[in-house]
Every structure is written in C-alpha cells, then in structure tokens.
Amino acid sequence: EFPRFVHVGSAGVTRPDRPGLDLSKQPPAVRLNKELDFILTFKLKGEDLIRESGIPYTIVRPCALTEEPAGADLIFDQGDNITGKISREEVAQICVAALESHYASGKTFEVKSVVPFSEPFTVTLENPPPEKDYNVYFKTLKDGITGKEILEQDPVPV
C-alpha cells in the first residue's frame, strides 16, 4: 500500500515534554516551544491525528531547512533525536518519492544531511550529485516509532 498523504513535520516535536532532556543542547524551536506558542506541541498533535486517521501516510520530520541544493548524503533516523540541516529541495524530493513507495507507508522519520551546519553544501554543474533511490532509506524504517515511546513507557511492575 502506498501513502496517500505525506506530512512534513519537524524534528523535535516530541522533545519539549521529554524528561531529563538538556534543553541547552537543543535547537531553538525545542528550547523555545512555550515562547513560540507551543508550536511543536501542536505539530505533534497534528501528526497524531494523521496516524489515527486510517489514511495511509508518511510523516517526514526534517531537521533545519536550508536553501542549499539537494544532493548531500543523508541520515534517516527515528525516535526524534537528531539535529542538523537539510535542503528544502531534498525534502520535496523525499516527499514525492514517499508517495511512490510502499516502504514509506505508515512511517514517521527524521532526516538530515551529513554536512555540518558550519559547512555550506554546494554542487557544480560539472559534477552533479547522483540521483538518489530513497527506497534504500525507506526500507530501513520501522513501524510505530515516533519518539513518543520514551514518554509512554509502561510503569515497571513491582
């Protein structure tokens, strides 16, 4: 079954309520969720409604979006722990690929490039990056991982 709906969320949505999280090491949106009128809290509620809808979906949570070109090597992760940056153009390509992949259906994942924030990513016409097969990444994704699992752990029986 292919996703009928691809939602672009944002990395960090489960972090504001995570116990024991060192906020000083988190991106601004996570540190300032309250000051930003709980934007991440509302984004997470939107994701939850999508997951509960019964509509085949993919939820893509990019790290910080940049105007850099697509083509950098990527890291896909689940559990809402990564920080970094990714090209807006790359996220758009991931969304289109997800619509055509049964491996992406029912999955929630974060994505970033391997390029550090301090380093600009550029491409040249003479040496363009190869086209990606995003199924290579989608195939590694597990069902049911949202990053909320840490918050919803069952109490340990005594």
Side-chain angles (χ1 to χ4, degrees):
E1 164 171 61
F2 296 99
R4 289 190 22 228
F5 189 86
V6 176
H7 174 76
V8 178
S10 73
V13 294
T14 67
R15 297 181 212 169
D17 294 326
R18 194 173 289 171
L21 190 71
D22 182 353
L23 284 176
S24 70
K25 295 187 170 120
Q26 292 299 313
V30 176
R31 283 196 316 269
L32 301 170
N33 187 49
K34 183 179 177 184
E35 291 79 358
L36 295 169
D37 290 329
F38 299 99
I39 189 164
L40 293 180
T41 305
F42 285 109
K43 285 183 175 192
L44 180 59
K45 286 186 187 307
E47 286 185 6
D48 287 342
L49 288 172
I50 291 165
R51 281 189 280 270
E52 294 162 11
S53 73
I55 297 170
Y57 69 88
T58 301
I59 296 173
V60 182
R61 292 175 174 165
C63 289
L65 296 170
T66 71
E67 299 303 324
E68 295 170 345
D73 289 337
L74 301 176
I75 295 171
F76 278 54
D77 197 16
Q78 291 178 285
D80 198 16
N81 295 304
I82 62 172
T83 58
K85 68 177 182 177
I86 186 168
S87 153
R88 291 175 196 277
E89 180 184 356
E90 189 91 51
V91 173
Q93 292 174 9
I94 291 166
C95 291
V96 171
L99 286 169
E100 300 169 349
S101 174
H102 62 272
Y103 296 112
S105 190
K107 304 296 193 305
T108 299
F109 62 91
E110 295 79 43
V111 61
K112 70 174 184 172
S113 80
V114 299
V115 181
F117 249 110
S118 56
E119 224 175 275
F121 177 72
T122 56
V123 297
T124 61
L125 291 174
E126 300 80 24
N127 192 15
E131 206 169 294
K132 288 188 183 76
D133 175 3
Y134 294 104
N135 273 322
V136 170
Y137 300 100
F138 297 150
K139 284 179 184 178
T140 67
L141 300 172
K142 295 178 176 60
D143 287 326
I145 307 290
T146 66
K148 291 171 50 176
E149 297 77 24
I150 297 164
L151 306 175
E152 297 172 353
Q153 287 174 345
D154 293 330
V156 179
V158 179

